Amino acid sequence: MKLDYANDGILSEYLESSKKDLYAYYQAHYANKHTALAQVSTPQTAPATSTGALIHSPQKNFTARFQRKTTTIINELDEYFKLPPEDFETCSPVHWWMGRRAQFPNLFWFARDLLCIPGSAVAVERIFSGGRDTISLRRASLRPETIKILMLVKKKLHLVRTQSTAALRK
């Protein structure tokens, strides 16, 4: 995007401002919150006998000294921005993030939250219209749980009707 906005100072400045806002939001809400902690094995001692002597050597985990201890915190956003761009036509964002969730555990949760937002308002408008049909003036005193159940049943019936119509056309 920097190359696209190189000749436009206002848009280039807006891009940099948006990037700073993204970093701030990521740091405040996602950074180091979902990182899988490395499980380090601790040496275990064997149970003592009645005489107090150990049955086996107290140092069972001889590979513990070879385990890498990472103290550097990797900024996942910087690592993500270093990746080459994917082909827009062939790449599925959901599958891409599922494949990278071990590499970017915090960014995965951030992307998951962003990708669940509908791409258009059509689906949301359709839900509100369905709610208006369910909650008429005569049914205005329905409890929220009842409204939820009615709307879910209505959607399920609509899906079954669509599937049965498609099956009959075959």
Side-chain angles (χ1 to χ4, degrees):
M1 292 178 83
K2 281 184 178 181
L3 296 175
D4 294 340
Y5 297 151
N7 297 332
D8 191 338
I10 295 172
L11 290 177
S12 182
E13 184 179 315
Y14 178 73
L15 180 64
E16 286 302 316
S17 171
S18 298
K19 190 174 180 180
K20 287 178 187 174
D21 291 344
L22 174 70
Y23 272 94
Y25 186 82
Y26 171 76
Q27 288 298 327
H29 299 286
Y30 291 93
N32 301 322
K33 301 231 186 318
H34 301 285
T35 305
L37 299 173
Q39 295 180 354
V40 179
S41 304
T42 56
Q44 298 179 3
T45 57
T49 60
S50 60
T51 60
L54 295 176
I55 297 173
H56 298 287
S57 169
Q59 188 175 8
K60 285 189 176 227
N61 189 357
F62 63 92
T63 61
R65 71 178 118 166
F66 299 111
Q67 293 176 349
R68 183 180 291 174
K69 296 177 183 176
T70 57
T71 57
T72 59
I73 298 173
I74 298 171
N75 188 336
E76 292 180 22
L77 271 175
D78 288 337
E79 293 298 315
Y80 171 75
F81 285 134
K82 289 178 186 177
L83 293 175
E86 295 288 328
D87 183 20
F88 184 74
E89 299 295 323
T90 59
C91 182
S92 166
V94 174
H95 290 115
W96 191 91
W97 279 109
M98 288 300 291
R100 302 286 194 296
R101 69 180 166 192
Q103 183 181 5
F104 304 117
N106 298 304
L107 266 180
F108 167 76
W109 285 91
F110 185 36
R112 185 194 68 123
D113 290 347
L114 287 178
L115 290 173
C116 73
I117 299 171
S120 70
V122 174
V124 175
E125 293 290 333
R126 195 172 294 135
I127 291 169
F128 280 119
S129 295
R132 183 193 66 217
D133 295 340
T134 303
I135 310 164
S136 63
L137 289 175
R138 291 183 178 177
R139 302 174 94 185
S141 63
L142 290 174
R143 292 187 339 209
E145 297 85 23
T146 307
I147 295 168
K148 179 181 175 182
I149 291 169
L150 286 171
M151 291 185 71
L152 289 171
V153 168
K154 181 179 176 181
K155 182 64 176 174
K156 183 70 173 174
L157 287 172
H158 178 70
L159 288 172
V160 169
R161 184 184 321 143
T162 304
Q163 290 172 349
S164 61
T165 304
L168 291 173
R169 289 183 184 168
K170 289 182 181 182

